[in-house]
């Protein structure tokens, strides 16, 4: 789900997080293929072009083949662990086709490759200074300072602009 901003005044949605959570908790009974923000959308910013639907179908077919025809498990690209030491956050991902890349050719960088840091401290949370690949399945995010607030959260492709179309150049997305 990547088009919630188009007809909504909201810049954030918890639905994608709940979808991923349901998929993880179901132990393979609920299958999440992956995001759609990288696909091509028509002018309404909600529906895909014919090319976009074809590519989505190819993504679904790859997962169908793996699960149904080959009898194997499928994991979409998703975080497996998030750790922090000082001002450096390390995220290890499940990567269906390593290596992990930060793609700015297909997907326009929304800033910080789509990562956001938030907490509920008295002072403003530290800002992200850099995002870098640290291996075929790992990303490191360096903050401007060690966070001191409560409820620390690292988010990805989480915030969009109210009224913005979905797609690789607009809407909530990450690289």
């Amino acid at each position: 789900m990547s088009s919630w901003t188009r007809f909504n005044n909201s810049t954030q949605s918890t639905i994608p997080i709940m979808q991923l959570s349901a998929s993880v908790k179901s132990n393979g009974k609920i299958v999440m293929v992956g995001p759609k923000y990288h696909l091509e959308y028509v002018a309404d910013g909600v529906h895909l072009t014919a090319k976009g639907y074809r590519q989505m179908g190819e993504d679904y077919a790859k997962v169908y083949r793996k699960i149904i025809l080959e009898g194997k498990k499928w994991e979409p690209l998703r975080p497996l662990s998030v750790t922090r030491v000082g001002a450096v956050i390390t995220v290890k991902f499940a990567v269906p086709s390593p290596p992990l890349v930060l793609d700015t050719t297909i997907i326009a960088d929304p800033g910080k490759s789509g990562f956001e840091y938030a907490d509920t401290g008295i002072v403003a949370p530290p800002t992200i200074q850099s995002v870098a690949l640290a291996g075929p399945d790992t990303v490191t995010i360096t903050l401007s300072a060690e966070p001191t607030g409560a409820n620390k959260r690292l988010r990805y492709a989480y915030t969009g602009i109210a009224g913005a179309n979905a797609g690789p150049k607009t809407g909530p997305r990450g690289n």
Side-chain angles (χ1 to χ4, degrees):
M1 181 179 142
S2 61
S3 59
W4 74 80
T5 57
R6 180 61 185 107
F7 297 113
N8 196 327
N9 288 330
S10 175
T11 60
Q12 300 173 340
S13 175
T14 58
I15 294 172
I17 293 168
M18 290 186 287
Q19 289 173 328
L20 178 58
S21 178
S23 176
V24 170
K25 288 177 183 176
S26 77
N27 196 28
K29 293 179 183 173
I30 297 172
V31 178
M32 178 173 267
V33 173
K36 288 176 33 182
Y37 57 75
H38 65 288
L39 301 173
E40 191 175 280
Y41 283 76
V42 296
D44 74 358
V46 175
H47 298 94
L48 300 174
T49 63
K51 179 182 175 185
Y53 279 115
R54 182 184 56 80
Q55 186 176 359
M56 184 178 74
E58 290 173 1
D59 292 344
Y60 287 8
K62 288 175 190 175
V63 175
Y64 178 88
R65 176 182 177 163
K66 185 146 196 141
I67 295 171
I68 303 300
L69 302 180
E70 297 174 2
K72 296 179 182 174
K73 288 192 135 208
W74 165 258
E75 285 260 24
L77 177 66
R78 70 175 187 88
L80 294 174
S81 66
V82 179
T83 57
R84 183 185 55 79
V85 175
V88 178
I89 301 170
T90 302
V91 186
K92 184 173 178 81
F93 288 87
V95 183
S97 298
L100 189 62
V101 299
L102 296 175
D103 182 346
T104 56
T105 302
I106 296 173
I107 304 155
D109 188 353
K112 311 302 181 198
S113 296
F115 287 95
E116 303 172 29
Y117 175 78
D119 65 32
T120 54
I122 295 171
V123 297
T127 58
I128 294 177
Q129 296 297 299
S130 67
V131 176
L133 294 171
D137 63 354
T138 305
V139 172
T140 57
I141 294 103
T142 303
L143 302 175
S144 59
E146 183 172 350
T148 57
N151 197 21
K152 297 169 181 70
R153 296 173 314 283
L154 182 67
R155 304 184 295 209
Y156 179 76
Y158 186 75
T159 302
I161 298 168
N165 290 355
K169 307 287 183 213
T170 57
R173 63 196 182 282
N175 300 102

